[in-house]
Amino acid sequence: MARGEFNSRIGTFATVAGSVVGLGNLWRFPYLAGENGGSAFLLVYLCVSLLVSLPVMLSELSIGRSQRCNAMRAFKNIAPGPWFLVGFLGVAAAYVITSFYMVVGGWSLEFLRASVVGEFSGKSSDEIKNYFDLFLAGGTGPTLQALVSLGISLVVVVLGVSKGIERFNKILMPALFVLILILVCNSLFCLPESWKGVTFLLKPDFEKISLQTVLTAMGQSFFSLSLGMGAMLTYGSYISSDRNLPKTALGIVTFDSLVAILSGMVIFPAVFSFGLEPTQGPTLLFNTMPNIFQQMPGGYGFSILFFLLVYFAAVTSQVSLLETVTAFASEELRMKRWKACLAIALTMSVTGSMCALSLSGHGWFEIGGKPLFDIFDSVSSNVMLPLGGFFIVLFAGWIMPSRVLQSQLTNSENESPSINYVVLRFLIRFVSPIFVALLFLTLIGVI
Ligand code: PHE
């Protein structure tokens, strides 16, 4: 079966960036940075991203590009025995993440719709705060919006690797970058207390840095860079053999961090200028921001731009998740891409709806009193991704023949290895697996 390939360097970058830039950047990073020492956290985050996450990303891209197949088969091709389970775990994680991620994608669609029709205008701050809770409790709205969000990514994935996924990202990623720059300028230059927000985000507070902070930074970096579950591996399998993987990966890590910092510069100046609480987690995006726009000059337009930005970020990540499962199903079950994708999306629409309904407060789809949405969220980020990342980097460093790793990282086989390669290989074999193992053991409470 002919496999797709990304056509251009820009297209490759935009597509990988589309996967990594998501809700992890827009909401989670600013919140964590604000809470954990501002720019001191940022410094730790950058170090961890370079020393621990970059090697995992290079491992995934190398495994994928050397085998040119889905995540499970890639492991099977290289090594016999149970290693294929690592790929299978990744595909399973992609399935689980899509099921709750599509729900959040649906929220941003709903807020986009509400912004366009002026739903929030004239509402008091309490009424706006209730809007999100009532929307969740309704059940039907969140489910339908989640299905629309899934449907859009379904169309993109069915259109194919280059005609669908690459082209879609090539349009949406530059648009996302322009949107975020407009919003940053507005926050920095047009709001009364913008410096307070910037100070909250960037003032270094080294006393807040502890081992726990380092681990928090690592978990965030993993999620934000879409690592540990085969998405980068699958995208790697579509990257043409003359692209420079270390350069691409370094560019992606830089871009991902930049977007994370910029979104902090959008959100915090606004939060401080309108006297809202900066440390309120997920509700910060969906509950607080409409309040801000309501009180802000030009708020109607900025609200639309903001939720458009959130939706672009969410849907491009969702596409990479759906593609990871689709590549697996179409290659392993020997189905046509569109049939495999449709079948997967149908089953996801069931689990996704269950996740959406589990937040309605009616006790539907709760296990032990916990909504399925929360369970999927924590099991995937706390267990599946670190576990997957650990085995992936171990596999690339110790199991995959070193000439394969070298040829992927240097694009040549015979040359005596350059210093860059020697450093990267050391990070892949030693630094990264030890840190990831530490993170995992801490997350599951062993340390
Ligand atoms: N990286 C995405 C974000 O920052 C989330 C994601 C995780 C996407 C894993 C794909 C795979 O939101």
Side-chain angles (χ1 to χ4, degrees):
M1 214 185 296
R3 284 191 103 241
E5 191 169 288
F6 300 140
N7 282 329
S8 63
R9 194 153 43 141
I10 302 276
T12 306
F13 191 84
T15 311
V16 179
S19 174
V20 305
V21 170
L23 298 158
N25 307 62
L26 295 187
W27 152 66
R28 210 157 172 258
F29 177 84
Y31 164 71
L32 288 177
E35 272 297 276
N36 291 290
S39 59
F41 178 81
L42 177 62
L43 211 66
V44 175
Y45 179 82
L46 291 178
C47 290
V48 164
S49 293
L50 287 177
L51 297 177
V52 185
S53 306
L54 184 74
V56 180
M57 179 175 279
L58 285 171
S59 303
E60 288 205 30
L61 294 175
S62 302
I63 297 171
R65 191 170 72 167
S66 69
Q67 303 307 312
R68 300 223 174 268
C69 55
N70 69 78
M72 190 188 85
R73 183 151 301 268
F75 284 93
K76 213 179 204 167
N77 282 350
I78 297 176
W83 281 103
F84 75 93
L85 287 173
V86 179
F88 187 75
L89 177 82
V91 175
Y95 185 94
V96 169
I97 296 177
T98 321
S99 300
F100 75 85
Y101 211 85
M102 64 186 262
V103 176
V104 188
W107 296 347
S108 39
L109 273 184
E110 166 62 18
F111 277 70
L112 180 60
R113 184 201 67 79
S115 306
V116 172
V117 301
E119 191 94 61
F120 302 122
S121 69
K123 288 215 163 102
S124 74
S125 130
D126 278 348
E127 281 171 328
I128 293 175
K129 272 192 181 153
N130 282 336
Y131 185 84
F132 188 48
D133 294 341
L134 284 175
F135 171 67
L136 289 184
T140 331
T143 309
L144 286 180
Q145 295 287 26
L147 294 179
V148 173
S149 181
L150 179 68
I152 295 173
S153 20
L154 170 73
V155 173
V156 176
V157 174
V158 165
L159 283 173
V161 170
S162 127
K163 288 208 180 104
I165 301 175
E166 184 178 5
R167 201 190 290 168
F168 185 69
N169 279 293
K170 246 165 96 176
I171 301 168
L172 251 51
M173 287 318 283
L176 175 142
F177 199 62
V178 172
L179 284 181
I180 203 164
L181 288 182
I182 297 175
L183 289 162
V184 168
C185 289
N186 173 65
S187 276
L188 290 186
F189 304 122
C190 306
L191 297 181
E193 304 278 1
S194 56
W195 62 270
K196 267 195 189 164
V198 175
T199 315
F200 178 73
L201 179 67
L202 293 183
K203 195 173 145 229
D205 182 354
F206 287 100
E207 285 189 354
K208 285 210 176 133
I209 301 298
S210 63
L211 180 67
Q212 191 54 45
T213 326
V214 180
L215 296 171
T216 306
M218 192 148 62
Q220 166 62 11
S221 171
F222 250 59
F223 184 81
S224 188
L225 290 166
S226 309
L227 296 176
M229 40 70 71
M232 285 299 117
L233 197 155
T234 308
Y235 271 6
S237 76
Y238 303 131
I239 296 181
S240 83
S241 35
D242 50 356
R243 304 264 174 270
N244 182 327
L245 291 186
K247 248 193 201 164
T248 308
L250 199 62
I252 291 294
V253 172
T254 312
F255 186 70
D256 190 60
S257 310
L258 179 69
V259 174
I261 298 168
L262 290 179
S263 41
M265 298 207 168
V266 172
I267 293 168
F268 289 119
V271 166
F272 279 92
S273 295
F274 297 105
L276 296 160
E277 183 50 56
T279 54
Q280 46 179 298
T283 50
L284 189 64
L285 266 190
F286 293 101
N287 218 342
T288 313
M289 289 310 275
N291 265 301
I292 294 174
F293 296 126
Q294 180 67 12
Q295 303 167 40
M296 193 165 117
Y300 175 80
F302 283 115
S303 174
I304 295 176
L305 289 185
F306 182 78
F307 287 109
L308 207 56
L309 170 78
V310 178
Y311 188 66
F312 284 0
V315 73
T316 47
S317 299
Q318 210 173 281
V319 162
S320 73
L321 291 160
L322 187 57
E323 173 59 27
T324 304
V325 191
T326 299
F328 166 79
S330 71
E331 287 167 15
E332 295 308 312
L333 307 176
R334 297 184 186 283
M335 288 163 91
K336 287 216 165 72
R337 258 184 81 85
W338 71 266
K339 274 193 192 160
C341 188
L342 196 66
I344 296 294
L346 276 177
T347 57
M348 278 172 175
S349 59
V350 176
T351 41
S353 302
M354 285 159 61
C355 282
L357 291 171
S358 73
L359 293 177
S360 68
H362 293 97
W364 299 328
F365 305 112
E366 287 184 357
I367 301 173
K370 264 190 120 189
L372 192 64
F373 180 100
D374 293 359
I375 295 174
F376 274 15
D377 182 5
S378 64
V379 166
S380 57
S381 338
N382 295 346
V383 183
M384 295 173 112
L385 298 191
L387 201 61
F390 175 69
F391 284 115
I392 288 170
V393 80
L394 213 60
F395 185 84
W398 297 91
I399 308 289
M400 186 159 95
S402 57
R403 71 183 154 73
V404 179
L405 185 66
Q406 183 181 344
S407 73
Q408 288 305 317
L409 294 184
T410 60
N411 286 0
S412 70
E413 276 184 33
N414 330 330
E415 263 175 50
S416 61
S418 64
I419 179 76
N420 287 352
Y421 170 69
V422 172
V423 171
L424 288 176
R425 186 157 180 262
F426 178 74
L427 292 177
I428 290 176
R429 282 169 74 99
F430 298 101
V431 179
S432 188
I434 292 173
F435 264 84
V436 180
L438 206 65
L439 164 76
F440 185 65
L441 293 177
T442 310
L443 282 174
I444 60 171
V446 173
I447 300 182

